[in-house]
Amino acid sequence: MSKTAAAPAPAGADPSRWKALVFIALAQLMVVLDATIVNIALPSAQTDLGISDGNRQWVITAYALAFGGLLLFGGRIADKWGRKNAFITGLAGFALASALGGAATGEAMMLGARALQGAFGALLAPAALSLLAVTFTDAKERAKAFGIYGAIAGGGGAVGLILGGFLTEYLNWRWTFFVNIPFAIVAAAGAWMVIREPAGSRNAARLDVPGVILSTLGLVSLVYGFTRAESAGWSDAITVSLFIASAVLLLAFVAVESKVKSPLLPLRVLLERNRGGVYLSLGLAVIAMFGLFLFLTYYLQVVKGFSPVKTGFAFLPMIAGMITGSTQIGARLMTRVAPRLLMGPGFLLAGVGMLLLTQLEVGSSYPALILPAQLLLGLGMGTAFMPAMSLATYGVNPADAGVASAMVNTSQQVGGAIGTALLNTIAASATTAYLTDHAAQAAAGGDAGKLVQAQAMVEGYSAAIWWAVGILVISATIAFTLINTGRPGSGGPVAGGAGAGSEDAELKVPVIAH
């Protein structure tokens, strides 16, 4: 019997699109890895470079501020200058900044390198996602491509824990920076050879300079406000001032965008019901995910005594769950069911996994509790992330694909900053309350005192994870109620492909009636 012929390529499809996906995914993996790999290396780097405890957080904060603050600007630059150009420039700059970080001889050089990494990452990340959006316009192919991308976006951080542990434990912390260089070289060389950007998809409008300034300052104030709240407290005068400044700047940004002829962020991109639902639900889900990475890493290393490498491997079930959820559930069902019927149940399944982790105790079993919880979390997040990544750019005018992609990254970046600050504060308060209630045992010293200290930490983690469960339920509720588009067409090109109209007030796909 003859084999079934492969499905014909969609009319007008780039013949190198699947090769392009390999290099786009590689670049995305590099950016996501960097978010966690440096955390593992930080204690060693701090000692070698003589960074004080007070300034240690700036190794993370410098990156977060540059990345979060410049994302919208980076997305619009990609739209205007060309996504392939922005992608390759972002890779080259990220590699150079990584080389500076790895070769750092002091605190100033390290912090400067991290800020540069964030700036070039803000150019690279939206360029990568928008390249996918304009390259894969057939619904079935788009589902597969975004399935792979979603698995990397969700699971790459856990891979960073493993790789960071290996490099720090067996080589040197500097290699957590140097490892980015081969990633960037391979991705840039491949992109140069195989990526073909669709004609007519650039945005030739003048750059909205007031929008750039207001959005950058507003986002930097917001991210730094949450970062500072973690260390200085929510009532700290500077923290409160940052939040007020952020609100004023971002409101002014919205006012400017509604009036200028060529806005940095056209409000139609943000206010379209489905995309708005994606940005909001995804940002909230990332808050919960940061709770998992943060507290489970501390629990495994501090309470259970795992090494950095063993801790990294302990996250493997979640990576496996994310890959399965994204490529085998999300990608297979995306052209068959409405996105909300993947995102809502996905967030709820992840919430069930998080709910299991509220039962953590000092002596909890990894195979009996942590492993199944991670599998459920991974499956749920992978299933939800995949359609979310696709829907965030679905139906958008190609000239706005970069800034729409930047909004996805912005929602995740702000969500991460909120998650770290909010959940850390909740955990610290619960730990302090437990120690106050058990002051006598804690003061006893010896094994009894250490046990109370460990129990206090676990009590804090559990309290924060309960909040993460609630946040995931809210994410699911938003997905069910705000996202009302039907399933993408199974064969035709995606609305918003090259040549779409300039306005996209709504997705050009069937809508499920409420």
Side-chain angles (χ1 to χ4, degrees), residues 7-25 131-132 134-138 140-142 144-145 148 194-196 198:
D14 180 358
S16 300
R17 62 196 180 283
W18 293 108
K19 293 177 184 176
L21 174 61
V22 172
F23 301 112
I24 293 170
L131 275 172
L132 276 192
V134 298
T135 300
F136 292 91
T137 55
D138 176 77
K140 285 188 175 180
E141 289 196 347
R142 186 180 177 93
K144 292 177 185 176
I148 295 167
V194 305
I195 289 179
R196 302 286 181 269

Side-chain angles (χ1 to χ4, degrees), residues 441-456:
Q441 297 97 308
D447 290 341
K450 289 179 181 177
L451 180 60
V452 171
Q453 292 282 349
Q455 287 172 335

Side-chain angles (χ1 to χ4, degrees), residues 401-412:
V403 78
S405 302
M407 272 304 302
V408 182
N409 290 284
T410 300
S411 67
Q412 293 181 70

Side-chain angles (χ1 to χ4, degrees), residues 49-130:
L49 300 179
I51 301 173
S52 67
D53 286 344
N55 289 340
R56 172 180 59 189
Q57 65 161 335
W58 281 100
V59 176
I60 306 300
T61 303
Y63 178 88
L65 292 182
F67 188 78
L70 294 171
L71 270 168
L72 287 178
F73 182 41
R76 183 50 90 200
I77 289 294
D79 286 333
K80 188 174 179 62
W81 186 33
R83 294 164 194 89
K84 179 177 177 178
N85 292 335
F87 184 75
I88 293 173
T89 303
L91 282 166
F94 201 91
L96 176 63
S98 298
L100 287 174
T105 55
E107 181 178 314
M109 189 172 173
M110 169 60 77
L111 297 183
R114 288 294 283 162
L116 266 180
Q117 276 188 311
F120 282 106
L123 182 63
L124 174 60
L129 184 55
S130 58

Side-chain angles (χ1 to χ4, degrees), residues 84-233:
K84 179 177 177 178
N85 292 335
F87 184 75
I88 293 173
T89 303
L91 282 166
F94 201 91
L96 176 63
S98 298
L100 287 174
T105 55
E107 181 178 314
M109 189 172 173
M110 169 60 77
L111 297 183
R114 288 294 283 162
L116 266 180
Q117 276 188 311
F120 282 106
L123 182 63
L124 174 60
L129 184 55
S130 58
L131 275 172
L132 276 192
V134 298
T135 300
F136 292 91
T137 55
D138 176 77
K140 285 188 175 180
E141 289 196 347
R142 186 180 177 93
K144 292 177 185 176
F146 276 88
I148 295 167
Y149 187 89
I152 291 171
V159 176
L161 294 173
I162 299 173
L163 189 57
F166 261 110
L167 293 173
T168 304
E169 200 163 319
Y170 297 115
L171 289 173
N172 185 284
W173 65 265
R174 296 182 184 276
W175 281 96
T176 61
F177 287 89
F178 291 145
V179 75
N180 290 330
I181 298 172
F183 274 96
I185 290 172
V186 172
W192 179 264
M193 290 186 288
V194 305
I195 289 179
R196 302 286 181 269
E197 196 169 349
S201 63
R202 294 191 186 182
N203 189 328
R206 292 181 60 185
L207 187 63
D208 171 21
V209 176
V212 169
I213 295 170
L214 289 170
S215 67
T216 301
L217 293 177
L219 288 170
V220 164
S221 298
L222 183 63
V223 173
Y224 185 39
F226 282 110
T227 303
R228 185 176 173 84
E230 182 188 353
S231 56

Side-chain angles (χ1 to χ4, degrees), residues 28-42 151-169 175-177 179-180 183 293 297 301 308-309 311-313 315-316 318-319:
Q28 174 65 12
L29 179 61
M30 180 187 73
V31 173
V32 176
L33 281 176
D34 198 73
T36 51
I37 198 171
V38 174
N39 290 336
I40 297 288
L42 185 54
I152 291 171
V159 176
L161 294 173
I162 299 173
L163 189 57
F166 261 110
L167 293 173
T168 304
E169 200 163 319
W175 281 96
T176 61
F177 287 89
V179 75
N180 290 330
F183 274 96
F293 280 123
T297 300
Q301 289 197 27
V309 171
T311 299
F313 276 107
F315 280 96
L316 277 177
M318 192 180 68
I319 299 173

Side-chain angles (χ1 to χ4, degrees), residues 141-483:
E141 289 196 347
R142 186 180 177 93
K144 292 177 185 176
F146 276 88
I148 295 167
Y149 187 89
I152 291 171
V159 176
L161 294 173
I162 299 173
L163 189 57
F166 261 110
L167 293 173
T168 304
E169 200 163 319
Y170 297 115
L171 289 173
N172 185 284
W173 65 265
R174 296 182 184 276
W175 281 96
T176 61
F177 287 89
F178 291 145
V179 75
N180 290 330
I181 298 172
F183 274 96
I185 290 172
V186 172
W192 179 264
M193 290 186 288
V194 305
I195 289 179
R196 302 286 181 269
E197 196 169 349
S201 63
R202 294 191 186 182
N203 189 328
R206 292 181 60 185
L207 187 63
D208 171 21
V209 176
V212 169
I213 295 170
L214 289 170
S215 67
T216 301
L217 293 177
L219 288 170
V220 164
S221 298
L222 183 63
V223 173
Y224 185 39
F226 282 110
T227 303
R228 185 176 173 84
E230 182 188 353
S231 56
W234 295 90
S235 59
D236 173 72
I238 296 177
T239 302
V240 174
S241 299
L242 285 166
F243 285 136
I244 293 171
S246 172
V248 171
L249 288 163
L250 292 177
L251 285 172
F253 171 68
V254 171
V256 167
E257 298 307 275
S258 67
K259 288 180 168 47
V260 296
K261 184 178 179 182
S262 304
L264 174 70
L265 176 62
L267 295 184
R268 63 178 180 271
V269 172
L270 189 60
L271 298 179
E272 195 284 317
R273 174 175 180 159
N274 293 278
R275 277 195 293 277
V278 167
Y279 299 147
L280 190 55
S281 62
L282 204 56
L284 286 169
V286 169
I287 294 176
M289 283 299 291
F290 264 67
L292 171 73
F293 280 123
L294 188 67
F295 301 122
L296 206 50
T297 300
Y298 276 116
Y299 174 80
L300 293 172
Q301 289 197 27
V302 178
V303 178
K304 304 296 279 188
F306 283 23
S307 69
V309 171
K310 190 176 180 181
T311 299
F313 276 107
F315 280 96
L316 277 177
M318 192 180 68
I319 299 173
M322 281 190 169
I323 292 172
T324 303
S326 190
T327 62
Q328 300 304 310
I329 300 174
R332 289 177 183 272
L333 294 180
M334 189 176 128
T335 56
R336 302 178 186 179
V337 301
R340 65 176 179 179
L341 299 182
L342 289 172
M343 290 179 64
F347 288 137
L348 288 178
L349 184 61
V352 172
M354 199 72 82
L355 188 63
L356 287 178
L357 289 176
T358 62
Q359 306 306 305
L360 272 182
E361 295 177 358
V362 173
S364 291
S365 164
Y366 176 86
L369 179 65
I370 298 171
L371 189 150
Q374 285 197 61
L375 283 173
L376 290 173
L377 270 157
L379 278 170
M381 285 297 191
T383 300
F385 268 48
M386 188 262 151
M389 290 289 184
S390 178
L391 192 58
T393 52
Y394 186 83
V396 74
N397 181 350
D400 294 331
V403 78
S405 302
M407 272 304 302
V408 182
N409 290 284
T410 300
S411 67
Q412 293 181 70
Q413 186 68 24
V414 172
I418 295 171
T420 303
L422 176 64
L423 297 178
N424 239 352
T425 303
I426 293 166
S429 298
T431 296
T432 302
Y434 186 92
L435 287 173
T436 301
D437 292 343
H438 299 80
Q441 297 97 308
D447 290 341
K450 289 179 181 177
L451 180 60
V452 171
Q453 292 282 349
Q455 287 172 335
M457 290 175 68
V458 173
E459 188 75 17
Y461 303 156
S462 180
I465 291 171
W466 269 112
W467 277 75
V469 172
I471 290 167
L472 283 171
V473 171
I474 294 171
S475 290
T477 304
I478 290 169
F480 278 126
T481 55
L482 278 186
I483 297 170

